[in-house]
Amino acid sequence: MDKNLTPEQIDMINRIVFAHLDQMKQKTAEIVEETERAAHQQLQDSGIDITDFSPANQSFLMVTLIQNLIDRVHGGDMAVAQQLITMEAKRLNVSVNVEADQSRS
């Protein structure tokens, strides 16, 4: 790839990539909503009617998705995992002490 991109090319890259990111986020939200509905329906069809709480609620589904994505990004490299968690904590403006648990190796 040519490393001497013009400002116009950089602008085009940003527009294209961010437009696709927006589409991906929208599709992901739709998939989470549909997954929640389908799981809840299957529970009802199985005779389990949970009106106050859905075991496959959107928050649970999104956290599960986040965990899976983080695992895919760090691929078992705990230094990368620490960096990801630290960067996310900083983005959220929360204080965390992130250390790898050596007993789990």
Side-chain angles (χ1 to χ4, degrees):
M1 180 174 158
D2 185 11
K3 294 183 182 184
N4 298 316
L5 297 171
T6 67
E8 293 80 16
Q9 290 172 317
I10 292 170
D11 185 53
M12 182 183 297
I13 290 168
N14 286 333
R15 280 195 321 268
I16 291 170
V17 170
F18 283 98
H20 282 279
L21 284 172
D22 289 342
Q23 289 176 1
M24 179 184 68
K25 289 182 224 177
Q26 181 60 38
K27 287 179 185 178
T28 302
E30 291 168 6
I31 290 168
V32 169
E33 290 171 7
E34 175 55 32
T35 301
E36 180 185 37
R37 277 193 303 275
H40 188 72
Q41 185 62 53
Q42 188 172 358
L43 288 168
Q44 285 184 324
D45 293 347
S46 298
I48 302 171
D49 188 15
I50 303 172
T51 54
D52 294 335
F53 173 74
S54 172
N57 62 72
Q58 287 187 29
S59 294
F60 170 77
L61 296 172
M62 288 186 287
V63 167
T64 302
L65 181 59
I66 291 166
Q67 290 171 337
N68 179 268
L69 293 172
I70 289 172
D71 288 347
R72 288 183 69 173
V73 170
H74 73 69
D77 184 334
M78 291 302 107
V80 173
Q82 285 179 296
Q83 185 178 19
L84 288 169
I85 300 300
T86 300
M87 287 174 16
E88 185 61 10
K90 287 180 181 178
R91 183 186 73 81
L92 295 170
N93 196 29
V94 295
S95 177
V96 295
N97 182 18
V98 181
E99 294 179 13
D101 183 354
Q102 300 302 325
S103 69
R104 296 186 67 183
S105 299

